[in-house]
Amino acid sequence: NAGVMQNPRHLVRRRGQEARLRCSPMKGHSHVYWYRQLPEEGLKFMVYLQKENIIDESGMPKERFSAEFPKEGPSILRIQQVVRGDSAAYFCASSPLNRLNTEAFFGQGTRLTVV
Amino acid sequence: KNEVEQSPQNLTAQEGEFITINCSYSVGISALHWLQQHPGGGIVSLFMLSSGKKKHGRLIATINIQEKHSSLHITASHPRDSAVYICAVSRNTGNQFYFGTGTSLTVIP
């Protein structure tokens, strides 16, 4: 049973390009969470999704950022027109339930560098 | 003020020392998690606690719900324990973790 899989592990984009980050949850998990870790800062919640639904996007920047979790395939975090301030590590976590009082399962993260 | 506060921010220890990392939180929680992150690496769950104490190998985690405080202890520390240790809480309501800023541990041989 593979863990939470994120790809790519490293992504370099020029300012103004689009970044697409993928997350495949653990088998049997239908809840996905995205977190951002800015340099020298702690992890911050971005968005919580279930299959085909965004449940809580209170941590998402209002512009340029979007997330989806389609019926088939991985969850995608999309950043349009990237800027240097988007450079960070983006982590995905998954859970089988809609409460986080179960063990946390995180992916390896995608490290985005905007040049 | 952050919902989760950790101390110390940085910690250097000699191999073999007993290490304690502290976490205080200010909100009602359903569980507290201790996570480990190696440089450039992913995040691994070490413990999930809602009461009492848990032990796994040389790692021990305790939580005091009344005082809203948890500690992570490492006995007989080893250089491979060098990592960032992160405290996170999940609340009674809502769908997200709240994270401390992490404690960067370096164990010197």
Side-chain angles (χ1 to χ4, degrees):
Chain A
N1 184 11
V4 179
M5 303 299 292
Q6 288 188 249
N7 69 82
R9 290 289 305 278
H10 300 276
L11 182 61
V12 179
R13 284 286 177 266
R14 294 188 184 279
R15 280 180 297 171
Q17 290 185 320
E18 178 181 285
R20 280 182 176 245
L21 289 62
R22 295 174 192 80
C23 170
S24 296
M26 286 187 69
K27 188 176 180 182
H29 289 192
S30 58
H31 303 258
V32 165
Y33 310 81
W34 285 94
Y35 298 90
R36 179 165 66 173
Q37 187 178 42
L38 290 166
E40 306 304 321
E41 292 187 24
L43 287 147
K44 300 289 185 190
F45 169 78
M46 298 183 76
V47 62
Y48 162 46
L49 309 104
Q50 294 178 28
K51 286 281 188 182
E52 300 184 278
N53 284 306
I54 297 174
I55 305 302
D56 181 353
E57 56 182 350
S58 58
M60 287 278 270
K62 293 286 184 280
E63 297 178 349
R64 303 187 296 107
F65 285 72
S66 62
E68 63 176 9
F69 189 15
K71 188 176 178 181
E72 302 291 336
S75 175
I76 307 285
L77 179 68
R78 182 182 177 207
I79 311 171
Q80 295 179 288
Q81 299 175 329
V82 296
V83 301
R84 289 234 169 91
D86 298 332
S87 296
Y90 293 82
F91 288 93
C92 168
S94 73
S95 72
L97 303 171
N98 64 350
R99 287 283 184 241
L100 289 173
N101 55 353
T102 59
E103 185 179 352
F105 297 94
F106 286 84
Q108 291 287 305
T110 293
R111 281 149 181 88
L112 172 66
T113 303
V114 180
V115 297
Chain B
K1 186 179 184 297
N2 210 14
E3 293 88 352
V4 181
E5 299 282 350
Q6 275 185 248
S7 64
Q9 275 195 307
N10 297 285
L11 182 57
T12 300
Q14 291 288 334
E15 183 173 357
E17 283 186 9
F18 181 84
I19 288 161
T20 296
I21 300 169
N22 295 299
C23 174
S24 297
Y25 54 92
S26 58
V27 295
I29 68 169
S30 58
L32 183 142
H33 303 253
W34 281 103
L35 310 170
Q36 181 191 56
Q37 184 180 22
H38 281 101
I43 296 171
V44 174
S45 174
L46 297 175
F47 294 104
M48 186 191 75
L49 295 158
S50 54
S51 64
K53 176 180 174 178
K54 287 190 176 180
K55 184 175 189 295
H56 185 251
R58 294 180 294 105
L59 273 59
I60 302 166
T62 63
I63 187 168
N64 184 318
I65 297 294
Q66 286 72 30
E67 294 185 5
K68 294 187 175 177
H69 181 269
S70 175
S71 293
L72 176 68
H73 305 286
I74 305 175
T75 61
S77 59
H78 190 276
R80 64 173 174 266
D81 297 326
S82 298
V84 175
Y85 292 85
I86 302 168
C87 174
V89 300
S90 51
R91 297 185 64 174
N92 294 325
T93 58
N95 303 293
Q96 57 173 289
F97 282 122
Y98 295 85
F99 297 88
T101 51
T103 295
S104 179
L105 171 66
T106 302
V107 181
I108 299 169

Coordinates of all heavy atoms in Angstrom, one line a residue, chain A residues 18-21 34 46-47 49 54 57 60-69 75-80 90:
Chain A
E18 N 2.7 28.7 -15.2 CA 1.8 28.0 -14.4 C 2.5 26.8 -13.7 O 3.4 26.2 -14.3 CB 0.6 27.4 -15.2 CG -0.4 26.6 -14.4 CD -1.5 26.1 -15.3 OE1 -2.4 26.9 -15.7 OE2 -1.6 24.9 -15.6
A19 N 2.1 26.5 -12.5 CA 2.6 25.3 -11.8 C 1.5 24.4 -11.5 O 0.4 24.8 -11.0 CB 3.4 25.7 -10.5
R20 N 1.7 23.1 -11.8 CA 0.7 22.1 -11.4 C 1.3 21.1 -10.5 O 2.3 20.4 -10.9 CB 0.2 21.4 -12.7 CG -0.9 22.2 -13.4 CD -1.4 21.5 -14.6 NE -2.5 22.3 -15.2 CZ -3.7 21.9 -15.3 NH1 -4.1 20.7 -14.8 NH2 -4.6 22.6 -15.9
L21 N 0.8 20.9 -9.3 CA 1.3 20.0 -8.4 C 0.3 18.9 -8.2 O -0.9 19.1 -8.0 CB 1.5 20.7 -7.0 CG 2.7 21.7 -6.9 CD1 2.6 22.8 -7.9 CD2 2.8 22.2 -5.5
W34 N -4.1 20.2 1.4 CA -2.9 20.8 0.9 C -2.4 21.8 1.9 O -3.2 22.6 2.5 CB -3.1 21.5 -0.4 CG -3.3 20.6 -1.6 CD1 -4.4 20.1 -2.1 CD2 -2.2 20.1 -2.4 NE1 -4.1 19.3 -3.2 CE2 -2.8 19.2 -3.4 CE3 -0.8 20.2 -2.4 CZ2 -2.0 18.6 -4.4 CZ3 -0.1 19.6 -3.4 CH2 -0.7 18.8 -4.4
M46 N -4.0 25.1 3.4 CA -4.5 25.8 2.2 C -5.9 25.4 1.9 O -6.8 26.2 1.9 CB -3.6 25.5 1.0 CG -2.2 26.0 1.2 SD -1.2 25.7 -0.3 CE -1.8 27.0 -1.4
V47 N -6.1 24.1 1.7 CA -7.4 23.7 1.2 C -7.6 22.2 1.6 O -6.7 21.4 1.7 CB -7.5 23.8 -0.4 CG1 -6.5 23.0 -1.1 CG2 -8.9 23.5 -0.9
L49 N -10.1 18.9 0.4 CA -11.0 18.4 -0.6 C -11.4 17.0 -0.4 O -10.7 16.2 0.2 CB -10.3 18.5 -2.0 CG -9.6 19.7 -2.4 CD1 -8.1 19.6 -2.3 CD2 -9.9 20.0 -3.9
I54 N -14.7 20.7 -3.0 CA -13.9 21.5 -2.2 C -14.7 21.8 -0.9 O -15.7 22.4 -0.9 CB -13.5 22.9 -2.8 CG1 -12.7 22.6 -4.1 CG2 -12.7 23.7 -1.8 CD1 -12.4 23.9 -4.9
E57 N -11.6 26.0 1.7 CA -10.5 26.6 1.0 C -10.1 27.9 1.7 O -9.6 28.8 1.0 CB -10.8 26.8 -0.5 CG -12.1 27.6 -0.7 CD -12.4 27.8 -2.2 OE1 -11.6 27.5 -3.0 OE2 -13.5 28.3 -2.5
M60 N -6.6 29.3 1.1 CA -6.1 29.5 -0.3 C -6.0 31.0 -0.6 O -7.0 31.7 -0.3 CB -7.0 28.9 -1.3 CG -7.0 27.4 -1.3 SD -5.6 26.8 -2.3 CE -6.4 26.7 -3.9
P61 N -4.9 31.5 -1.2 CA -4.9 32.8 -1.7 C -6.1 33.1 -2.6 O -6.5 32.2 -3.3 CB -3.6 32.9 -2.4 CG -2.7 31.9 -1.7 CD -3.6 30.8 -1.4
K62 N -6.6 34.3 -2.6 CA -7.8 34.6 -3.4 C -7.6 34.5 -4.9 O -8.5 34.2 -5.6 CB -8.4 35.9 -3.0 CG -8.9 36.0 -1.5 CD -10.2 35.3 -1.4 CE -10.8 35.5 0.0 NZ -10.1 34.6 1.0
E63 N -6.4 34.8 -5.3 CA -6.2 34.8 -6.8 C -5.1 33.8 -7.1 O -4.2 33.5 -6.3 CB -5.8 36.2 -7.2 CG -6.9 37.2 -6.9 CD -6.4 38.6 -7.3 OE1 -5.2 38.9 -7.6 OE2 -7.3 39.5 -7.3
R64 N -5.1 33.3 -8.3 CA -4.1 32.5 -9.0 C -4.0 31.1 -8.5 O -3.4 30.2 -9.2 CB -2.7 33.2 -8.8 CG -2.6 34.6 -9.4 CD -1.1 35.1 -9.4 NE -0.6 35.2 -8.0 CZ 0.3 34.3 -7.5 NH1 0.8 33.3 -8.2 NH2 0.7 34.5 -6.3
F65 N -4.6 30.8 -7.3 CA -4.5 29.4 -6.8 C -5.8 28.7 -6.9 O -6.9 29.3 -6.6 CB -4.1 29.5 -5.3 CG -2.7 29.8 -5.0 CD1 -2.2 31.0 -5.2 CD2 -1.8 28.8 -4.5 CE1 -0.8 31.3 -5.0 CE2 -0.5 29.1 -4.3 CZ 0.0 30.3 -4.5
S66 N -5.8 27.4 -7.3 CA -7.0 26.6 -7.4 C -6.6 25.2 -7.1 O -5.5 24.8 -7.2 CB -7.7 26.8 -8.7 OG -6.9 26.3 -9.8
A67 N -7.6 24.4 -6.7 CA -7.4 23.0 -6.4 C -8.6 22.2 -6.8 O -9.7 22.7 -6.8 CB -7.1 22.8 -4.9
E68 N -8.3 21.0 -7.2 CA -9.4 20.1 -7.5 C -9.0 18.7 -7.1 O -7.8 18.3 -7.0 CB -9.7 20.1 -9.0 CG -8.5 19.7 -9.9 CD -8.8 19.7 -11.4 OE1 -9.9 20.2 -11.8 OE2 -8.0 19.1 -12.2
F69 N -10.0 17.8 -7.0 CA -9.8 16.4 -6.7 C -10.9 15.7 -7.5 O -12.0 15.4 -7.0 CB -10.0 16.2 -5.2 CG -9.6 14.8 -4.7 CD1 -8.8 13.9 -5.5 CD2 -9.9 14.4 -3.4 CE1 -8.5 12.7 -5.1 CE2 -9.6 13.1 -3.0 CZ -8.8 12.3 -3.8
S75 N -5.3 14.6 -6.9 CA -5.7 16.0 -6.6 C -4.6 16.9 -7.3 O -3.4 16.5 -7.3 CB -5.7 16.2 -5.1 OG -6.0 17.5 -4.8
I76 N -5.1 18.0 -7.8 CA -4.2 18.9 -8.4 C -4.3 20.3 -7.7 O -5.4 20.8 -7.5 CB -4.6 19.2 -9.9 CG1 -4.7 17.9 -10.7 CG2 -3.6 20.2 -10.6 CD1 -3.4 17.2 -11.0
L77 N -3.1 20.8 -7.4 CA -3.0 22.2 -6.9 C -2.4 23.0 -8.0 O -1.3 22.7 -8.5 CB -2.2 22.3 -5.6 CG -2.0 23.7 -5.1 CD1 -3.3 24.3 -4.5 CD2 -0.9 23.7 -4.0
R78 N -3.1 24.0 -8.5 CA -2.7 24.8 -9.7 C -2.4 26.2 -9.2 O -3.2 26.8 -8.6 CB -3.8 24.7 -10.7 CG -3.5 25.4 -12.0 CD -4.8 25.3 -12.9 NE -4.6 26.0 -14.1 CZ -5.6 26.5 -14.8 NH1 -6.9 26.4 -14.4 NH2 -5.4 27.1 -16.0
I79 N -1.2 26.7 -9.7 CA -0.9 28.1 -9.4 C -0.6 28.8 -10.7 O 0.3 28.4 -11.5 CB 0.4 28.2 -8.5 CG1 0.3 27.3 -7.3 CG2 0.6 29.6 -8.1 CD1 1.6 27.1 -6.5
Q80 N -1.4 29.7 -11.0 CA -1.3 30.4 -12.3 C -0.4 31.7 -12.1 O -0.3 32.3 -11.0 CB -2.6 30.9 -12.8 CG -3.6 29.7 -13.2 CD -4.9 30.2 -13.6 OE1 -5.7 30.7 -12.9 NE2 -5.2 30.1 -14.9
Y90 N 5.2 22.5 -1.0 CA 3.8 22.2 -0.9 C 3.6 20.7 -0.5 O 4.1 19.8 -1.2 CB 3.1 22.5 -2.2 CG 3.2 24.0 -2.5 CD1 4.3 24.6 -3.1 CD2 2.1 24.8 -2.2 CE1 4.3 26.0 -3.4 CE2 2.1 26.2 -2.5 CZ 3.3 26.8 -3.0 OH 3.3 28.1 -3.3

